[in-house]
Amino acid sequence: MSEIEQAASQPLYRVNKFAVPPEARDEFLDLVAKTFAVVRSQEGYVRDWILEQNAGPGVFNFVTMIEFASEEVAPRIVSALAALDRELRLDREAMMGRLNIRTDFGSYKRLESLV
């Protein structure tokens, strides 16, 4: 297996961080629930975590982490979530702006050399 094939077959972790004002919490969590329902139904989904900060000085009070079997799953997830957004007539970026939610998104691979 080539290095590229090996990298593609490693799990992919999607980490999304959110700074959610208290007044936006319920609407935000409603969207997270709808989003995760779609994600959890996709082939290649492994598991997820939804974390809410309960202590510390951090800026982001919600973190979602999703593990996928490989990076090959990502395009299907993007398509499924785009379909959800069309169904809900939702512009996520506009919603985050309206609710004054700050975000930080990224996809990650496990750093095997330190494991």
Side-chain angles (χ1 to χ4, degrees):
M1 182 182 294
S2 73
E3 284 185 41
I4 293 172
E5 290 171 324
Q6 187 176 9
S9 68
Q10 293 177 349
L12 178 72
Y13 301 92
R14 178 67 181 192
V15 178
N16 301 331
K17 296 176 275 188
F18 304 91
V20 181
E23 62 276 8
R25 185 180 187 276
D26 290 343
E27 189 172 349
F28 168 76
L29 289 176
D30 181 60
L31 178 59
V32 170
K34 290 174 182 169
T35 299
F36 272 58
V38 169
V39 169
R40 289 172 178 156
S41 71
Q42 301 302 306
E43 184 179 333
Y45 161 83
V46 177
R47 64 181 152 200
D48 62 65
W49 299 268
I50 303 170
L51 307 173
E52 183 173 15
Q53 181 181 20
N54 71 343
V59 172
F60 298 104
N61 54 340
F62 285 93
V63 176
T64 63
M65 295 185 288
I66 307 169
E67 180 181 350
F68 298 106
S70 72
E71 66 185 54
E72 296 167 350
V73 174
R76 290 194 308 270
I77 300 297
V78 169
S79 294
L81 291 177
L84 173 66
D85 290 353
R86 284 191 301 276
E87 178 184 319
L88 298 176
R89 297 177 184 216
L90 174 67
D91 178 336
R92 287 176 190 259
E93 192 172 320
M95 178 186 170
M96 296 300 160
R98 176 177 59 80
L99 295 175
N100 197 28
I101 296 174
R102 290 183 294 149
T103 61
D104 180 52
F105 303 125
S107 294
Y108 297 82
K109 291 281 192 164
R110 188 170 175 174
L111 185 59
E112 297 293 337
S113 63
L114 296 178
V115 178

